[in-house]
Amino acid sequence: MRTYHCFWLLFWAGQPHQSFLTSLSKRTSGFPEKEKVLVLSGNRRRDLHRSKRSWMWNQFFLLEEYTGTDYQYVGKLHSDQDKGDGSLKYILSGDGAGDLFIINENTGDIQATKRLDREEKPVYILRAQAINRRTGRPVEPESEFIIKIHDINDNEPMFTKDVYNASIPEMSDVGTFVVQVTATDADDPTYGNSAKVVYSILQGQPYFSVESETGIIKTALLNMDRENREQYQVVIQAKDMGGQMGGLSGTTTVNITLTDVNDNPPRFPQSTYQFRAPESTPPDSPVGRIKANDADVDENAEIEYSITEGDGYDMFGITTDKDTQEGIITVKKALDFENKSLYILKVEATNTHVDPRFLYLGPFKDSATVRIQVEDVDEPPVFSRPAYIMEVKEDVPINSVIGTVTAQDPDAAKNPVKYSVDRHTDMDRVFNINSGNGSIFTSKPLDRETLLWHNITVIAAEINNPKQSSRVPVFIKVLDVNDNAPEFAMFYETFVCENAKAEQLIQTLSAVDKDDSYSGHQFSFSLAPEAASSSNFTLQDNRDNTAGIFTRKTRYNRHEMSTYFLPVVISDNDYPIQSSTETVTIRVCACDHRGKMLSCNAEALIHPTGLSTGALIAILLCIIILLVTVVLFAALRRQRKKEPLIISKEDIRDNIVSYNDEGGGEEDTQAFDIGTLRNPEAIDDNKLRRDIVPETLFMPRRTAAARDNTDVRDFINQRLKENDTDPTAPPYDSLATYAYEGNGSVAESLSSLESVTTDGDQDYDYLSDWGPRFKKLADMYGTMDSDKDS
């Protein structure tokens, strides 16, 4: 037959009570008669047939916040195998076992050693077991039970914020929502009324109210005006236990601000304003400021000012200073004390943002009167015109009056005025002015071709107060007279072929005139009288300001005459008629059958007709560069052929050092004698000028070749004479290079080798007598000389 054992835990039925234990083995005398014992049985069939009870068979209840001096008694474990002989041992495990909850291992009594807080942990789950002391084996299966902490009202309501901030528009209706406050209670809301919170207002009446259950704050007073009071502080209380006596409470502060609405119109603090303005006040300058007060703020206080009426409606304007909301009165036109000294304006101030809800309070604008007194000041003279334009012919005699300026003092005193010319605008003092009447006259001759317009400034100042002055620009135009003769549009230098035919066009001429012609220039061309009958060329006037040069005969001989100078007379048709004689240079050249130039005998570069000056310059530059390149290449090649004097790099004691010195500098009076370049005979001879085109015809001549072994000085004199006496060699101011550098420096040569003579004239045999150090040089140069001689 199978034996069943039971494990019981006894406990009280009904409402739990507190019990106290003086020690682990002795209960307090105040413990109730019926202790709570939990009995657990191993007979599960009996458990299944046990009748249902109204409490949890495996659950203990304890009150939180126990304040006694002894441990708080929880309950007792008991097994049906316990015979009271101490053979069983009770063991407790789970939440807080051994620390928060302890058990008497002999009796099974459970006690709480610390004060419990439901808000910290409301439920503890433990496991109980009874074991045999001798064997250490459990006599009952391990059983689980629960200790639940019953709540007491030990937490006051706490608001979610310490301070609330809210705002509502001023003049709001009663019952307008402001803000909702919320308080929470940490007590158990399912047990009693410990967590039931009720709201009330402690401070802030009669302006605001609060709903007791929701914590919603609303307005309670009508027409709260921000201008009277802007800030309100409301204190709200939250109390638990449904607001009953003995409940705990907490408070919070709500700061409520009334925001502005436009319920106040602008108002001028005074009805009339007085200002003064000097008549010299420039336009757009401020005269004064006015301000209308508005009790509102921000955009509700923005004001727009305007001038509605008055005798100065078109003389003054008003704008709004956005920072200060002031009206700035400014001058629109120049003031004149002598014309009007007092202006009366009506200024209106209006709100820019009007709230229709408050129109019943009246119009949101106000007006005031502004009186502006114009003050007299000493003004500078005023010219009759802002600028003067005058005309004068360029051939007028000096001291001729060309015009008059007029200025007057605008003040009532009518002080006299004196005139002067600002010399910064007339540095050459071409004009002058009569200081009394303002008449302007010339003081120097005029030339339209040099300067067409003269822009001067005239100053008018009061005689009694020279600081009061004004300026006016005077523009003087110089009118043209026919005082310039026409001339060629360019320098004409052409050619004619030796095989040319008669009546053949070789050049077309055109002319220009510096003078101005209103109807257009009309030039006439003709040959000079001295060349009209004897010239080999004819001139035809085309009547369109051009003329053509034609050949008069067939065939020309360049050996007989290489250059012709054809004088041409050019005349204009203005009054008085001006004319000039220009010269056309015609060279005779050899040409092919198509008339293309092949060569000319003149030393100057001959180019085909129509070749531009720029092209000639480019050709000359290319030739010069080519020649320089050839010379440099030849010099470098010759230098490479020379063997250095010192071949050995080891012996450097007697090296020859070249200093590239070509003279002794400024103090060297013997290095170069400039007198050798001067030809005294040229001063006495009647030479032709090199800076003008020769008028006579010269036959080409050949330059005589220089004699052999001619001295350098004689050679230079010969070349100088040839260039001075050759007028046909263009350009007429060319540079002649004579390639003479003098006798050398006073310091003489640094080398014993004479550089003045050529290599062919040198004798280097004496190098053999200088010792073994110069043996290499003697072999080199001695051999070279012998080669040359052979």
Side-chain angles (χ1 to χ4, degrees):
M1 184 175 178
R2 189 173 183 180
T3 304
Y4 295 92
H5 303 280
C6 295
F7 181 51
W8 301 88
L9 179 61
L10 303 179
F11 58 91
W12 291 342
Q15 183 70 23
H17 298 276
Q18 294 184 359
S19 60
F20 304 95
L21 189 66
T22 57
S23 64
L24 294 177
S25 58
K26 181 178 180 182
R27 298 198 188 115
T28 61
S29 58
F31 190 77
E33 297 179 357
K34 201 171 187 180
E35 61 182 358
K36 43 187 175 180
V37 180
L38 181 60
V39 181
L40 298 179
S41 174
N43 190 347
R44 299 186 182 274
R45 293 181 181 177
R46 181 180 295 179
D47 292 341
L48 294 175
H49 294 287
R50 183 174 295 174
S51 60
K52 183 178 181 181
R53 298 172 181 172
S54 61
W55 38 265
M56 295 293 293
W57 66 272
N58 60 345
Q59 182 168 292
F60 290 162
F61 294 89
L62 289 179
L63 289 177
E64 66 171 334
E65 302 297 341
Y66 170 69
T67 58
T69 58
D70 297 326
Y71 291 160
Q72 186 178 7
Y73 184 74
V74 178
K76 183 180 181 63
L77 292 177
H78 184 71
S79 173
D80 57 357
Q81 299 295 323
D82 189 359
K83 306 301 183 181
D85 54 1
S87 61
L88 296 183
K89 178 181 179 181
Y90 296 97
I91 297 175
L92 188 63
S93 61
D95 295 340
D99 179 20
L100 185 58
F101 299 102
I102 59 176
I103 188 172
N104 190 319
E105 61 181 14
N106 296 320
T107 62
D109 293 323
I110 303 173
Q111 292 177 307
T113 61
K114 299 180 181 179
R115 185 171 61 177
L116 303 178
D117 187 0
R118 187 201 66 83
E119 287 72 34
E120 181 178 350
K121 187 174 180 64
V123 175
Y124 295 89
I125 301 175
L126 295 95
R127 294 178 295 279
Q129 192 174 30
I131 62 174
N132 191 300
R133 287 183 181 273
R134 293 189 301 271
T135 64
R137 300 183 64 180
V139 298
E140 298 287 351
E142 186 179 60
S143 180
E144 183 178 270
F145 63 96
I146 297 174
I147 299 178
K148 186 175 182 181
I149 311 303
H150 265 312
D151 182 51
I152 63 173
N153 189 18
D154 58 344
N155 291 279
E156 69 275 5
M158 299 292 293
F159 283 93
T160 55
K161 295 181 181 179
D162 295 335
V163 177
Y164 289 82
N165 294 300
S167 62
I168 58 169
E170 62 174 330
M171 310 299 288
S172 296
D173 296 333
V174 175
T176 300
F177 174 83
V178 179
V179 70
Q180 183 177 12
V181 296
T182 303
T184 58
D185 196 316
D187 293 326
D188 189 359
T190 63
Y191 181 76
N193 294 327
S194 299
K196 186 177 182 181
V197 179
V198 175
Y199 301 94
S200 62
I201 184 168
L202 300 181
Q203 177 183 323
Q205 295 175 333
Y207 306 103
F208 301 95
S209 63
V210 63
E211 292 183 357
S212 61
E213 295 182 357
T214 62
I216 295 176
I217 301 175
K218 298 181 179 179
T219 58
L221 189 64
L222 187 63
N223 295 333
M224 286 190 293
D225 192 359
R226 185 199 64 83
E227 288 70 34
N228 293 331
R229 183 177 178 182
E230 185 177 3
Q231 299 287 339
Y232 295 86
Q233 190 175 74
V234 178
V235 179
I236 302 297
Q237 181 189 65
K239 191 174 184 180
D240 59 11
M241 298 297 293
Q244 299 177 4
M245 294 292 294
L248 302 177
S249 63
T251 60
T252 188
T253 301
V254 182
N255 295 323
I256 302 175
T257 303
L258 297 183
T259 59
D260 184 60
V261 296
N262 192 7
D263 58 342
N264 292 280
R267 290 290 180 263
F268 283 106
Q270 58 193 70
S271 60
T272 303
Y273 293 86
Q274 295 277 354
F275 297 105
R276 293 181 176 271
E279 63 175 335
S280 60
T281 304
D284 298 329
S285 298
V287 174
R289 290 172 174 253
I290 61 175
K291 184 177 181 180
N293 298 325
D294 194 325
D296 298 321
V297 295
D298 299 332
E299 68 174 12
N300 297 319
E302 292 181 0
I303 300 174
E304 184 177 9
Y305 297 90
S306 61
I307 299 176
T308 57
E309 58 183 64
D311 54 1
Y313 182 82
D314 59 339
M315 296 294 296
F316 299 92
I318 188 169
T319 57
T320 302
D321 188 335
K322 299 301 182 182
D323 296 330
T324 63
Q325 295 300 314
E326 293 178 315
I328 305 174
I329 300 175
T330 57
V331 178
K332 293 173 61 177
K333 297 181 180 180
L335 303 176
D336 189 359
F337 172 81
E338 290 73 23
N339 186 25
K340 188 175 180 61
S341 61
L342 178 64
Y343 294 91
I344 299 176
L345 311 173
K346 184 178 181 181
V347 179
E348 187 175 79
T350 307
N351 275 140
T352 56
H353 300 84
V354 179
D355 195 334
R357 296 177 301 170
F358 305 103
L359 291 178
Y360 68 91
L361 297 176
F364 281 77
K365 60 183 179 179
D366 195 13
S367 60
T369 301
V370 178
R371 297 169 60 89
I372 301 175
Q373 182 71 41
V374 181
E375 296 179 341
D376 187 24
V377 296
D378 188 7
E379 298 176 273
V382 178
F383 284 94
S384 59
R385 300 179 188 175
Y388 292 86
I389 299 178
M390 301 178 183
E391 294 181 347
V392 59
K393 289 187 176 182
E394 62 177 329
D395 61 346
V396 297
I398 297 175
N399 295 328
S400 298
V401 177
I402 60 176
T404 303
V405 297
T406 304
Q408 292 183 353
D409 184 12
D411 298 323
K414 300 297 181 181
N415 294 321
V417 177
K418 65 177 180 179
Y419 303 91
S420 63
V421 176
D422 185 356
R423 290 306 172 187
H424 292 90
T425 61
D426 187 22
M427 302 292 290
D428 297 330
R429 297 182 176 269
V430 180
F431 302 95
N432 212 333
I433 190 170
N434 189 307
S435 62
N437 58 21
S439 60
I440 300 174
F441 56 89
T442 61
S443 58
K444 288 185 179 181
L446 302 177
D447 186 6
R448 187 201 69 86
E449 288 71 36
T450 302
L451 186 60
L452 176 62
W453 284 94
H454 294 268
N455 303 327
I456 65 174
T457 299
V458 175
I459 304 173
E462 295 181 8
I463 296 178
N464 298 334
N465 187 9
K467 293 184 178 180
Q468 293 294 336
S469 63
S470 57
R471 298 167 175 262
V472 67
V474 179
F475 306 101
I476 302 173
K477 182 179 181 180
V478 181
L479 301 179
D480 184 51
V481 296
N482 191 26
D483 58 347
N484 289 278
E487 56 188 14
F488 279 153
M490 58 179 293
F491 175 75
Y492 288 103
E493 185 177 4
T494 185
F495 73 96
V496 62
C497 295
E498 287 184 310
N499 56 356
K501 297 180 181 179
E503 303 299 326
Q504 181 178 343
L505 177 66
I506 62 174
Q507 181 66 50
T508 301
L509 309 177
S510 61
V512 294
D513 195 334
K514 295 180 180 179
D515 293 323
D516 189 14
S517 177
Y518 298 100
S519 60
H521 290 292
Q522 293 182 6
F523 303 123
S524 60
F525 300 85
S526 63
L527 292 177
E530 64 271 16
S533 59
S534 61
S535 176
N536 292 313
F537 302 92
T538 60
L539 180 70
Q540 179 180 339
D541 192 345
N542 297 327
R543 304 298 179 183
D544 60 353
N545 293 336
T546 64
I549 299 177
F550 294 86
T551 57
R552 175 174 284 182
K553 64 178 183 177
T554 301
R555 301 190 63 83
Y556 293 83
N557 191 340
R558 59 188 171 121
H559 297 290
E560 296 177 358
M561 182 68 70
S562 62
T563 304
Y564 294 92
F565 297 96
L566 188 65
V568 178
V569 178
I570 311 173
S571 303
D572 57 20
N573 64 338
D574 292 334
Y575 180 81
I577 295 177
Q578 301 287 341
S579 64
S580 65
T581 301
E582 302 287 332
T583 302
V584 179
T585 302
I586 305 173
R587 300 191 182 279
V588 181
C589 301
C591 303
D592 58 11
H593 66 281
R594 292 176 296 180
K596 184 177 180 181
M597 182 183 66
L598 296 179
S599 64
C600 299
N601 67 335
E603 294 181 7
L605 179 64
I606 302 302
H607 58 87
T609 303
L611 190 61
S612 65
T613 303
L616 276 176
I617 295 174
I619 293 173
L620 289 175
L621 289 177
C622 292
I623 294 174
I624 292 172
I625 293 172
L626 182 60
L627 291 176
V628 171
T629 304
V630 171
V631 171
L632 291 177
F633 179 76
L636 292 175
R637 188 173 182 181
R638 181 179 180 183
Q639 185 176 2
R640 289 177 182 174
K641 290 182 178 181
K642 292 184 179 181
E643 187 175 356
L645 296 178
I646 301 301
I647 297 179
S648 175
K649 296 183 180 179
E650 298 178 356
D651 191 358
I652 60 174
R653 291 174 296 175
D654 294 328
N655 288 349
I656 297 176
V657 180
S658 175
Y659 294 91
N660 294 328
D661 189 3
E662 294 183 1
E666 296 179 357
E667 298 180 358
D668 185 3
T669 58
Q670 298 180 2
F672 181 74
D673 185 6
I674 193 64
T676 59
L677 298 180
R678 298 191 180 97
N679 187 1
E681 298 177 359
I683 301 177
D684 300 331
D685 295 343
N686 186 14
K687 304 297 181 182
L688 294 176
R689 294 183 58 181
R690 299 286 304 283
D691 57 344
I692 62 174
V693 180
E695 296 290 341
T696 59
L697 304 178
F698 292 90
M699 292 298 293
R701 60 176 177 79
R702 301 182 180 273
T703 302
R707 302 189 307 272
D708 295 337
N709 299 327
T710 302
D711 184 69
V712 175
R713 184 173 302 177
D714 296 337
F715 175 76
I716 292 177
N717 291 332
Q718 179 184 352
R719 297 296 293 166
L720 180 63
K721 184 175 181 180
E722 291 175 356
N723 283 277
D724 286 342
T725 58
D726 186 8
T728 63
Y732 302 106
D733 290 331
S734 62
L735 177 65
T737 302
Y738 299 98
Y740 183 76
E741 296 187 359
N743 296 327
S745 172
V746 295
E748 297 183 352
S749 176
L750 296 177
S751 172
S752 60
L753 304 178
E754 290 294 331
S755 60
V756 179
T757 59
T758 60
D759 292 342
D761 298 334
Q762 287 289 345
D763 185 7
Y764 300 103
D765 294 337
Y766 59 89
L767 293 176
S768 302
D769 301 332
W770 285 11
R773 294 182 179 178
F774 294 88
K775 184 178 183 301
K776 184 64 177 179
L777 290 175
D779 295 338
M780 291 169 53
Y781 287 87
T783 305
M784 185 181 298
D785 293 341
S786 62
D787 294 339
K788 291 180 180 179
D789 295 336
S790 59

